[in-house]
Amino acid sequence: ESFRLELPEEAAQGVVFIKLELKDEAGRVLSENFYWYASQAAGYRRLNDMREAAVECSAMRASECGMVRVSLELANRSGSVALALQATVRDARKHTRVLPAYADDNFISLLPGERRRLTIEVPASVGSGELEVALAGWNVQSLAVPVRRSP
């Protein structure tokens, strides 16, 4: 046992969110985990009552070694947790997913005020046209943002 987690009283009646970070001596994040916890199964129903989170997204692309790398900047500008965000690269004209796609992370959650960078790579053979990133989440209004080309 490494440490004992003290849960707030709210955990007995509903659901709480727990974010754990492992950092090195310089303060760099080596690993992070995000959990949803309810002391009773019925507590998870409170997830349906969450306020909507306002998430901003910008996307930039760069090509290298036969791949198109889409770099995303995500920011939660609201006072609510943005839960289970999923980012997908799509063809901007047809609004269809570009596959295969390799993301360094997905279905992430952002605490209020938190920012996060994600990268999604697609083969240049399928990602050569105009692209957009579709963003959806549990309590986040779906949005699509254009992917700008790097200067």
Side-chain angles (χ1 to χ4, degrees):
E1 186 173 307
S2 58
F3 62 91
R4 187 162 191 64
L5 186 62
E6 298 296 328
L7 295 173
E9 291 179 20
E10 292 87 353
Q13 299 299 320
V15 64
V16 294
F17 301 109
I18 303 164
K19 182 174 181 176
L20 301 175
E21 293 180 332
L22 175 65
K23 296 181 179 182
D24 65 11
E25 296 84 14
R28 290 183 299 251
V29 176
L30 301 174
S31 178
E32 63 182 55
N33 292 283
F34 190 84
Y35 302 93
W36 317 349
Y37 174 79
S39 61
Q40 301 173 16
Y44 290 108
R45 290 188 188 126
R46 295 263 175 117
L47 293 173
N48 293 323
D49 300 328
M50 290 179 63
R51 289 181 299 166
E52 188 173 274
V55 176
E56 293 178 359
C57 177
S58 63
M60 184 78 69
R61 71 188 278 167
S63 296
E64 58 184 63
C65 301
M67 298 295 282
V68 173
R69 176 175 289 158
V70 178
S71 299
L72 307 175
E73 287 278 343
L74 302 170
N76 182 355
R77 300 286 185 206
S78 67
S80 299
V81 173
L83 197 59
L85 293 169
Q86 180 187 23
T88 56
V89 175
R90 300 190 312 191
D91 178 292
R93 291 194 174 103
K94 298 177 188 174
H95 306 293
T96 55
R97 290 183 68 182
V98 175
L99 295 171
Y102 308 98
D104 62 357
D105 206 350
N106 223 340
F107 292 101
I108 66 164
S109 296
L110 295 175
L111 298 174
E114 189 174 15
R115 302 177 67 83
R116 184 89 176 267
R117 289 186 174 141
L118 297 179
T119 302
I120 303 173
E121 292 184 345
V122 298
S125 59
V126 296
S128 61
E130 294 301 314
L131 301 175
E132 67 183 6
V133 170
L135 192 64
W138 183 276
N139 62 325
V140 177
Q141 187 174 30
S142 297
L143 66 114
V145 296
V147 177
R148 300 181 315 227
R149 293 184 186 269
S150 299

